[in-house]
Amino acid sequence: MNRRVIPLNELSAVPAFSSAPGAPRGSVVDRLARPLRDLRISVTDRCNFRCVYCMPRTVFGHDYPFLPHSALLTFEEIERVARLFVTQGVEKIRLTGGEPLLRKHLERLIERLAALRTPDARALDLTLTTNGALLARKARALKDAGLTRVTVSLDALDDTLFKRMNDVDFPVSSVLEGIEAAHAAGLGPLKINMVVKRGTNDSEIVPMARHFRGSGTVLRFIEYMDVGRSNGWNMTEVLPSADVIDQINAHWPLVPLDAHYPGETAQRWQYADGAGEIGVISSVTRAFCSSCTRIRLSTDGNAYLCLFAGTGHDLRALLRGGVSDEQIADAIARLWQAREDRYSQLRGQAAGGPRVEMSYIGG
Ligand code: SAM
Ligand code: SF4
Ligand code: SF4
């Protein structure tokens, strides 16, 4: 477990506020001129799955010290800090975890976040990433609360293989029911995330593409990443996205598409026959740090400037310490202005220090 944190008052040496040229009012930029746009909020560090590449059972067993309830940010605290992030440029919020649908009354948090507005009075893009296990039950309430879209993770259609990967014997059929329920509730266009591990589920690339072609969902293939220190990551298990594209292209020709917006993590491809699009997220073989606009907030209120960061910055201490909104907004701006993280670009040259676990800050 790695949860190293530094207090935010250590950032006082960073120069004062600046805005990105041409960026919306209030948008701060980091040392590499990247604006702050996306906030990922982990609402729980717990999960009902034990995916081998994320929360391996050997590490996240019965005696794992998950956070006590008192450590979690309350919905009031999350709403307040999210509002202050929005004043600094955030336009998109993704709820994640652990498994976000395990957090009790999550719809109440979504209602609060859905009411936030950017400085120029726009609603936020408010989304959630889930393993889908509880989605069939919750999709309607999530939509009614104001959630815009969902992303569902699914690594295989083969039931035996999927159960081996989630390691809790959870069947594919229930995730597919969740996906249907999300469609029916209007939480589309849905995205489906498949982490590809060479030698484990690469045989599922074509079946997954076949299943989701023409369904209106966007299937995205994610390169297996070296997040955290628990999953025993090895480069030999990474299947480059270029191979994924080759495999699918051999069945159904693909045409590259432009990004929706600068900084989009996925490279988009379209089926030439009009059956929709797919995406590949190539964090290992084609780093996209130069356009990374994401900040991550852990379940207990630490801000991380990179998925691979070793240290978080304690916003909860400010939220619970009688600090004013203005001071917290200023701390967020200074934190972002000091950022120079670009782990994926430097992969291989980076030191082998501690790294936060994915389930603690979300993907
Ligand atoms: N529990 C939810 C889920 O699985 O969708 C949300 C949290 S999960 C950490 C977010 C995303 O990270 C999932 O799509 C998951 O597949 C992905 N992920 C987890 N570990 C990963 C790894 N080592 N490499 C690439 N993606 C990973
Ligand atoms: Fe849980 Fe998501 Fe991690 Fe799987 S990837 S163990 S579902 S948090
Ligand atoms: Fe962003 Fe860090 Fe990932 Fe680079 S490695 S894209 S900076 S989160």
Side-chain angles (χ1 to χ4, degrees):
M1 176 186 31
N2 165 52
R3 291 178 193 150
R4 289 176 56 216
V5 170
I6 57 171
L8 274 161
N9 55 12
E10 288 180 17
L11 287 163
S12 51
V14 175
F17 188 91
S18 68
S19 275
R25 186 155 56 94
S27 189
V28 280
V29 289
D30 70 7
R31 287 196 174 150
L32 303 176
R34 299 169 294 190
L36 172 59
R37 288 284 156 69
D38 310 81
L39 171 63
R40 298 196 172 188
I41 305 174
S42 174
V43 292
T44 176
D45 61 338
R46 291 163 197 258
C47 190
N48 45 358
F49 283 14
R50 284 292 175 274
C51 300
V52 287
Y53 52 73
C54 178
M55 294 180 76
R57 191 175 279 290
T58 43
V59 176
F60 295 86
H62 291 301
D63 52 354
Y64 186 80
F66 288 106
L67 293 168
H69 195 259
S70 59
L72 272 51
L73 291 189
T74 64
F75 289 171
E76 289 77 9
E77 288 168 335
I78 294 176
E79 179 195 352
R80 180 177 176 211
V81 76
R83 179 167 47 78
L84 298 173
F85 271 108
V86 170
T87 66
Q88 300 307 310
V90 163
E91 300 176 333
K92 178 174 171 182
I93 294 182
R94 178 175 296 277
L95 301 179
T96 176
E99 174 46 44
L101 298 187
L102 288 182
R103 181 84 186 246
K104 267 199 194 132
H105 307 303
L106 187 71
E107 347 37 276
R108 294 184 193 163
L109 174 64
I110 290 170
E111 271 172 21
R112 288 167 176 264
L113 297 177
L116 297 178
R117 292 292 174 270
T118 62
D120 55 355
R122 282 174 295 127
L124 303 178
D125 185 11
L126 182 58
T127 68
L128 174 148
T129 305
T130 173
N131 61 26
L134 299 170
L135 195 53
R137 232 182 292 164
K138 300 200 171 184
R140 170 54 56 190
L142 296 171
K143 176 67 183 177
D144 291 347
L147 193 70
T148 326
R149 292 180 290 114
V150 288
T151 297
V152 182
S153 304
L154 178 63
D155 296 328
L157 286 171
D158 178 278
D159 207 44
T160 309
L161 179 51
F162 183 59
K163 285 178 173 168
R164 204 184 309 142
M165 290 185 80
N166 64 51
D167 208 11
V168 292
D169 224 26
F170 197 84
V172 171
S173 56
S174 298
V175 180
L176 294 177
E177 278 167 29
I179 291 171
E180 278 314 306
H183 263 305
L187 285 168
L190 254 75
K191 289 180 186 157
I192 310 293
N193 278 355
M194 172 180 175
V195 176
V196 181
K197 271 187 93 176
R198 191 200 287 270
T200 300
N201 65 338
D202 43 348
S203 57
E204 289 290 294
I205 293 169
V206 170
M208 285 279 286
R210 182 178 291 115
H211 183 87
F212 288 106
R213 262 170 55 80
S215 69
T217 48
V218 179
L219 176 59
R220 304 185 320 163
F221 300 90
I222 305 179
E223 287 179 350
Y224 172 41
M225 292 185 287
D226 45 342
V227 251
R229 291 283 178 202
S230 299
N231 63 10
W233 183 87
N234 191 312
M235 187 66 198
T236 59
E237 291 182 301
V238 177
L239 185 79
S241 294
D243 293 19
V244 173
I245 294 301
D246 284 350
Q247 282 195 33
I248 297 175
N249 190 53
H251 285 77
W252 307 281
L254 291 168
V255 183
L257 284 174
D258 289 337
H260 279 120
Y261 53 89
E264 189 169 33
T265 49
Q267 289 167 267
R268 302 169 60 211
W269 294 79
Q270 190 176 35
Y271 289 110
D273 64 3
E277 70 175 84
I278 60 164
V280 287
I281 301 179
S282 320
S283 168
V284 180
T285 61
R286 192 171 158 162
F288 37 81
C289 301
S290 60
S291 56
C292 178
T293 55
R294 285 175 292 283
I295 193 161
R296 293 174 163 86
L297 186 65
S298 71
T299 314
D300 54 352
N302 294 309
Y304 286 82
L305 296 170
C306 176
L307 187 51
F308 300 89
T311 315
H313 302 269
D314 192 357
L315 289 177
R316 189 185 61 188
L318 303 187
L319 290 166
R320 294 187 181 173
V323 175
S324 72
D325 281 0
E326 203 180 21
Q327 286 169 309
I328 296 177
D330 191 55
I332 291 169
R334 287 173 186 277
L335 180 59
W336 189 260
Q337 286 167 329
R339 176 186 192 240
E340 48 189 5
D341 301 63
R342 52 191 177 113
Y343 174 87
S344 287
Q345 240 170 29
L346 303 174
R347 187 179 267 111
Q349 306 161 38
R355 280 205 298 258
V356 66
E357 292 298 330
M358 181 81 130
S359 54
Y360 175 62
I361 53 166

